[in-house]
Amino acid sequence: MAKKNSTKDTEQSLSLFGKIRAIFKNETIHFVIGLVLVIFSVYLLLAFSSFFFTGAADQSIIDSGNAQELASTNNGVKNYAGSRGAQLASYLINDCFGISSFFILVFLAVAGLKLMRVRVVRLWKWFIGCSLLLVWFSVFFGFAFVEQYKDSFLYLGGMHGYNVSNWLVSQVGVPGVWMILLVTAICFLIYLSARTVIWLRRLFSLSFLKRKQKEEEEKGETPEEFTDSWTAKGKKKPVAIPDVADIKEEEAPVEIPEPIKEPENEITLDLGGVTETQPAKVSGEEVSMTIETPVPDPVPPFHEKAAEPVFEIEATENDDEYKGPEKEPYNPRLDLENYRYPTIDLMKHYENAEPTIDMAEQNANKDKIINTLRSFGIEISTIKATVGPTVTLYEITPEQGVRISKIRGLEDDIALSLSALGIRIIAPIPGKGTIGIEVPNSNPKIVSGQSIIGSKKFQESTYDLPVALGKTITNEVFMVDLCKMPHMLVAGATGQGKSVGLNAIITSLLYKKHPAELKFVLVDPKKVEFSIYSVIEHHFLAKLPDGEDAIITDVTKVVQTLNSICVEMDTRYDLLKAAHVRNIKEYNEKFINRQLNPEKGHKFMPYIVVVIDEFGDLIMTAGKEVELPIARIAQLARAVGIHMIIATQRPTTNIITGTIKANFPARVAFRVSAMIDSRTILDRPGANQLIGRGDMLFLQGADPVRVQCAFIDTPEVAEITKFIAKQQGYPTAFYLPEYVGEDGGGSDLGDVDMGRLDPLFEDAARLIVIHQQGSTSLIQRKFAIGYNRAGRLMDQLEKAGIVGPAQGSKAREVLCVDENDLQMRLNNLL
């Protein structure tokens, strides 16, 4: 009896703790606490400011007065914040940190604004920065203004600064204290910004020697400072390379992983050792059941291997090897270096998202499964249940001699006995000697996008294009790398979670990638699904130069865009060939290390992800015109960083053709109505037995994985895109190359009227000649004009003989070598 009471008390205390924790997670409570912190910081600011003017008069009252006198109405304190404010100001400024105590106010205000969601900041970084500044300035003022402590009522560094500075002087002397302050200040500036190192390098460079060299060169002398100081004057001696054997490798610290704790909510019921279960008699023995809510395996410790010594030999000059003039690596994020990734608190938190075990339901289902199988002459030895967010997996071990095909044929009978919406039998489970029966839970839980995006597995992932889809039956976060798939087919009936699944894919990439590293091409024939992403056009979207909207809804524009992506793919392959690399990762690494010459057309390549919703509608309206470029992209674009995701609600053979299926190895199947549709998507049944509302099967390889898709609602996506759109973006969207169809290879110059030249004709001609690049997009960017007007200008320039004819995706040839040649042509023309 005592044991039951103690268990009950423990459960009550845990539930009470859970309620308290839920209260502090409430957004309203966060807002109220943040508001209190902001108001308190304003109160302290008032007290501190007043202390500078009234502190001398209040000092004697605060020092000599007792608690009763200070609590009285006529206490004589003149501080604007009252006696309590005067006490706080005197304690924090004089007795603690001096005037650097203002950094306490700064941190309190920032923390309050963070809790109120007025500002998005990294609180731990502000805490570290304010703490360091608080201590540093306290010591600095206590050391530099030590003479002020004698007669003044105000201690600029506080007693902390005074005592610490006196101790430092006694240990290292006055020059040593100045050096410590200087070094710590430099370290803090380096912590704030890496540019400090660059500035210090320039500061410590021998600029005065360079000026001296220039003056002596004008006089015809060579300064001695620039001869090799290790050898005789005027002679160069090669620097010896240290022997590799002499370089000792640093040993990486070895971390001992913590022992794996068994989950507290695991209940073991097995043959021979039944604990707290309701056994069922089968053939004279007890069939036991194990019910577990799986806990993801702890992340193993990350062991950094010590870097091996690098032995470099400089080769002779090679024309193919380019070394840029700058030594620092190229930073593709430099244009948007202040870009901040979306935060987790932009997504909705669901209180009842954690899976719970209903023992009554589990035991009832166990008995029904055992009785149904027994009625058909099938005996089982063990049964185990794994409770997931929406589905419970029952693993059974049949007795010897039972054929698996017999159990597989009883799928409908088991579903009838369980009164379930639809069950799925996995016979056998890959890698295990058991048979799985997936049964929907009577009380399914929502898998929130916040729990997936905020998980440790997603935050610490090293995938190139990480996509978090949801949670598996074992409650583990299910993630894939889009780069390795490399293309994905999403299919399912209307209203079963396709659009939410696409939102989860796009949101995952927005949370992990910088705008310089990723671009989306969004195709939306329904015109309403992707419109919410239009606000991030200048950050993440790509479109045609003459495209008005970044979200492509017109079928004719879809065909043109897909062909333009094919042109971009061919151009990227040409650049990879010139760089002697095999894929985009190696190419970008070379470009970042400045081994590729930008003057030869090389550039940093962002990943491009093409997302097509309602693919079936495109096939019906455009047919082969859409299927052919998609097949080309799917076959070839993986190596150059172009990946495709297509979704359809009609998974029929005339929509998902053999060509599409062959090039889209990764398949996501939501619930469909017929088995033939499941076979079309997955080449096997199963999708017709899903329960809907985000329940899906993911196939990449041999066996499909059942996943509950993360629920990311439209308001959450709106908050994320709004957060991104508020930040600085690029001037325009990422422009895809111009595409010229087979019937439009050359412009009809006969229609160009040279008597009515565009007012920008001469300016555009000079721009083209100066840059030696005949590009329509260049004219668009420099003069901020539309694509059509820029195209007319290019036609006029071609007819004037300034540029050559169009060459597909490549820039036109510039026929004028310099501005003098251009002026002669303009004079003849005019």
Side-chain angles (χ1 to χ4, degrees):
M1 193 69 182
K3 183 177 180 182
K4 288 185 178 179
N5 289 336
S6 63
T7 305
K8 189 174 181 181
D9 293 340
T10 305
E11 290 178 354
Q12 288 179 352
S13 62
L14 288 175
S15 62
L16 180 62
F17 177 73
K19 289 178 182 178
I20 294 173
R21 186 173 60 180
I23 290 173
F24 281 101
K25 284 186 177 180
N26 193 309
E27 292 184 9
T28 306
I29 299 297
H30 284 185
F31 184 86
V32 171
I33 295 173
L35 184 62
V36 170
L37 287 177
V38 171
I39 293 175
F40 182 63
S41 65
V42 174
Y43 174 76
L44 285 180
L45 177 64
L46 183 66
F48 285 10
S49 303
S50 178
F51 182 76
F52 289 102
F53 305 102
T54 62
D58 296 338
Q59 194 69 32
S60 58
I61 300 175
I62 294 171
D63 291 341
S64 61
N66 54 34
Q68 291 182 352
E69 291 178 356
L70 291 174
S72 63
T73 306
N74 301 319
N75 50 32
V77 175
K78 297 182 180 180
N79 192 293
Y80 297 152
S83 61
R84 303 307 171 190
Q87 279 183 303
L88 274 173
S90 176
Y91 174 74
L92 290 174
I93 294 178
N94 280 348
D95 297 341
C96 291
F97 300 103
I99 62 174
S100 63
S101 299
F102 278 95
F103 289 109
I104 299 175
L105 314 188
V106 174
F107 176 73
L108 289 176
V110 170
L113 294 175
K114 165 78 172 178
L115 290 172
M116 294 170 66
R117 290 193 176 182
V118 176
R119 299 289 296 176
V120 180
V121 295
R122 295 181 180 177
L123 203 57
W124 62 269
K125 197 167 184 177
W126 276 88
F127 175 76
I128 294 173
C130 289
S131 300
L132 292 175
L133 290 172
L134 180 75
V135 173
W136 191 91
F137 276 103
S138 174
V139 176
F140 172 76
F141 284 119
F143 172 68
F145 300 95
V146 66
E147 297 297 329
Q148 301 293 327
Y149 281 77
K150 296 178 180 179
D151 303 322
S152 175
F153 76 95
L154 177 63
Y155 300 163
L156 294 179
M159 292 307 298
H160 167 269
Y162 178 76
N163 293 327
V164 172
S165 61
N166 282 343
W167 179 79
L168 287 174
V169 169
S170 68
Q171 300 298 314
V172 296
V174 174
V177 176
W178 280 116
M179 292 178 186
I180 290 173
L181 290 172
L182 178 63
V183 169
T184 51
I186 291 173
C187 291
F188 180 73
L189 291 175
I190 292 173
Y191 168 75
L192 289 181
S193 174
R195 291 182 175 272
T196 307
V197 177
I198 302 171
W199 181 79
L200 288 173
R201 283 173 181 165
R202 292 175 181 171
L203 181 66
F204 285 105
S205 64
L206 302 178
S207 56
F208 66 94
L209 291 179
K210 294 179 181 177
R211 287 196 299 269
K212 186 177 178 183
Q213 179 198 22
K214 189 175 181 181
E215 293 173 1
E216 292 183 352
E217 280 181 350
E218 291 176 358
K219 300 176 182 178
E221 300 176 1
T222 303
E224 293 183 4
E225 290 87 347
F226 287 89
T227 58
D228 197 336
S229 59
W230 299 98
T231 59
K233 292 183 181 180
K235 295 182 180 180
K236 295 284 181 179
K237 183 177 179 180
V239 179
I241 301 175
D243 191 0
V244 179
D246 296 336
I247 304 173
K248 293 185 178 180
E249 199 176 308
E250 295 182 2
E251 295 183 0
V254 179
E255 297 179 10
I256 301 175
E258 295 181 2
I260 299 174
K261 296 182 181 179
E262 294 184 359
E264 296 177 0
N265 55 353
E266 182 176 319
I267 308 170
T268 306
L269 308 96
D270 222 333
L271 282 175
V274 182
T275 59
E276 297 185 10
T277 186
Q278 298 177 5
K281 295 285 184 179
V282 179
S283 303
E285 296 183 355
E286 288 187 355
V287 178
S288 59
M289 180 172 71
T290 301
I291 300 179
E292 58 181 15
T293 302
V295 178
D297 294 335
V299 180
F302 179 73
H303 301 286
E304 289 188 359
K305 187 178 179 182
E308 296 187 4
V310 180
F311 182 75
E312 295 182 354
I313 299 176
E314 278 195 20
T316 55
E317 285 191 8
N318 187 359
D319 293 338
D320 296 334
E321 187 72 17
Y322 170 78
K323 289 291 182 182
E326 301 182 37
K327 294 181 181 179
E328 293 180 14
Y330 171 74
N331 181 12
R333 304 183 182 184
L334 190 59
D335 292 337
L336 300 182
E337 61 178 346
N338 295 322
Y339 175 79
R340 289 177 289 121
Y341 292 88
T343 54
I344 302 299
D345 54 8
L346 296 172
M347 308 184 80
K348 188 176 179 182
H349 175 72
Y350 293 89
E351 298 293 339
N352 61 343
E354 295 299 324
T356 55
I357 298 176
D358 186 351
M359 284 301 300
E361 178 188 353
Q362 304 305 326
N363 284 319
N365 287 344
K366 177 201 70 172
D367 294 337
K368 290 176 183 177
I369 291 172
I370 292 172
N371 293 331
T372 303
L373 293 175
R374 186 196 300 166
S375 65
F376 288 95
I378 299 173
E379 303 294 342
I380 60 175
S381 58
T382 61
I383 180 169
K384 184 177 78 170
T386 303
V387 182
T390 57
V391 175
T392 299
L393 173 65
Y394 294 91
E395 295 184 45
I396 62 173
T397 304
E399 294 284 358
Q400 291 292 332
V402 177
R403 298 182 64 181
I404 293 178
S405 58
K406 191 175 182 181
I407 298 177
R408 192 186 289 115
L410 298 175
E411 190 172 69
D412 295 334
D413 299 284
I414 297 173
L416 178 64
S417 67
L418 294 172
S419 303
L421 183 62
I423 70 167
R424 178 170 168 260
I425 292 182
I426 312 169
I429 296 177
K432 296 183 179 180
T434 56
I435 295 171
I437 303 175
E438 294 176 347
V439 181
N441 296 336
S442 59
N443 185 23
K445 302 295 182 182
I446 294 175
V447 176
S448 65
Q450 187 187 59
S451 65
I452 302 299
I453 301 297
S455 65
K456 188 176 182 181
K457 184 176 181 180
F458 180 80
Q459 293 294 330
E460 296 181 356
S461 69
T462 56
Y463 292 162
D464 293 321
L465 290 177
V467 173
L469 292 175
K471 286 187 178 180
T472 62
I473 290 179
T474 57
N475 252 357
E476 295 176 353
V477 175
F478 185 78
M479 282 182 57
V480 289
D481 189 357
L482 186 59
C483 284
K484 294 180 180 178
M485 287 197 281
H487 311 289
M488 186 189 299
L489 171 64
V490 182
T494 304
Q496 303 303 321
K498 269 194 329 304
S499 298
V500 175
L502 292 178
N503 281 340
I505 293 170
I506 297 173
T507 303
S508 300
L509 296 172
L510 291 178
Y511 265 91
K512 290 293 284 186
K513 304 304 288 184
H514 190 274
E517 301 167 342
L518 175 66
K519 301 297 176 184
F520 287 101
V521 176
L522 301 180
V523 178
D524 182 17
K526 286 199 298 189
K527 304 182 180 181
V528 294
E529 290 294 340
F530 292 151
S531 59
I532 198 168
Y533 295 102
S534 60
V535 295
I536 58 172
E537 174 181 344
H538 291 182
H539 295 82
F540 282 101
L541 300 189
K543 66 176 184 178
L544 293 170
D546 59 338
E548 296 180 1
D549 298 324
I551 311 298
I552 304 156
T553 56
D554 188 3
V555 176
T556 57
K557 290 289 184 183
V558 173
V559 177
Q560 191 177 356
T561 302
L562 291 174
N563 285 303
S564 176
I565 293 172
C566 290
V567 174
E568 173 73 13
M569 177 183 70
D570 294 335
T571 304
R572 289 189 172 199
Y573 267 114
D574 291 338
L575 293 175
L576 261 63
K577 178 184 175 183
H580 305 293
V581 293
R582 296 182 59 189
N583 54 55
I584 186 174
K585 199 169 183 179
E586 296 176 4
Y587 178 89
N588 282 340
E589 187 176 348
K590 258 191 159 183
F591 188 83
I592 288 173
N593 292 328
R594 300 192 183 274
Q595 297 175 3
L596 300 174
N597 190 351
E599 295 180 0
K600 294 185 178 180
H602 291 292
K603 58 185 178 180
F604 181 83
M605 296 183 191
Y607 287 100
I608 297 177
V609 177
V610 185
V611 185
I612 302 177
D613 195 13
E614 297 302 335
F615 177 67
D617 184 66
L618 292 181
I619 290 292
M620 290 181 62
T621 53
K624 293 292 182 183
E625 293 183 8
V626 168
E627 187 177 353
L628 289 177
I630 285 178
R632 278 206 70 208
I633 294 169
Q635 289 169 356
L636 298 173
R638 172 182 184 173
V640 291
I642 300 176
H643 305 275
M644 183 167 287
I645 301 168
I646 61 175
T648 179
Q649 63 182 4
R650 291 203 309 276
T652 56
T653 52
N654 61 336
I655 301 296
I656 305 176
T657 61
T659 306
I660 296 296
K661 289 179 66 175
N663 294 296
F664 284 77
R667 323 266 177 82
V668 172
F670 291 90
R671 188 184 181 191
V672 294
S673 56
M675 184 187 294
I676 189 171
D677 292 338
S678 177
R679 290 188 181 276
T680 304
I681 306 167
L682 302 173
D683 298 322
R684 69 197 72 198
N688 56 311
Q689 296 158 333
L690 300 174
I691 62 174
R693 296 179 64 85
D695 191 19
M696 70 182 195
L697 291 173
F698 177 84
L699 176 66
Q700 187 184 15
D703 298 292
V705 180
R706 192 164 187 174
V707 179
Q708 178 62 36
C709 184
F711 180 67
I712 301 178
D713 205 1
T714 304
E716 296 178 69
V717 179
E719 286 294 323
I720 295 167
T721 54
K722 184 179 177 182
F723 178 87
I724 296 173
K726 282 183 177 179
Q727 303 183 55
Q728 178 189 0
Y730 295 102
T732 62
F734 181 83
Y735 283 139
L736 297 171
E738 303 169 18
Y739 170 72
V740 181
E742 294 179 359
D743 54 347
S747 59
D748 189 5
L749 297 180
D751 297 337
V752 178
D753 185 7
M754 298 302 290
R756 301 175 59 188
L757 293 175
D758 192 284
L760 294 175
F761 177 78
E762 290 189 31
D763 295 333
R766 288 190 174 86
L767 176 72
I768 293 296
V769 172
I770 290 171
H771 287 81
Q772 287 293 303
Q773 181 184 357
S775 171
T776 307
S777 58
L778 176 64
I779 298 177
Q780 277 185 273
R781 290 195 305 271
K782 293 298 183 182
F783 297 113
I785 60 177
Y787 177 77
N788 295 329
R789 185 179 179 186
R792 287 194 299 270
L793 272 168
M794 191 59 72
D795 290 339
Q796 292 174 359
L797 292 171
E798 181 183 350
K799 192 163 185 180
I802 298 171
V803 297
Q807 301 177 12
S809 63
K810 297 181 180 179
R812 297 173 183 246
E813 181 185 1
V814 181
L815 304 178
C816 293
V817 294
D818 55 20
E819 292 192 58
N820 293 330
D821 188 10
L822 172 64
Q823 194 60 46
M824 291 177 61
R825 291 178 186 265
L826 292 177
N827 292 337
N828 295 332
L829 182 66
L830 300 175

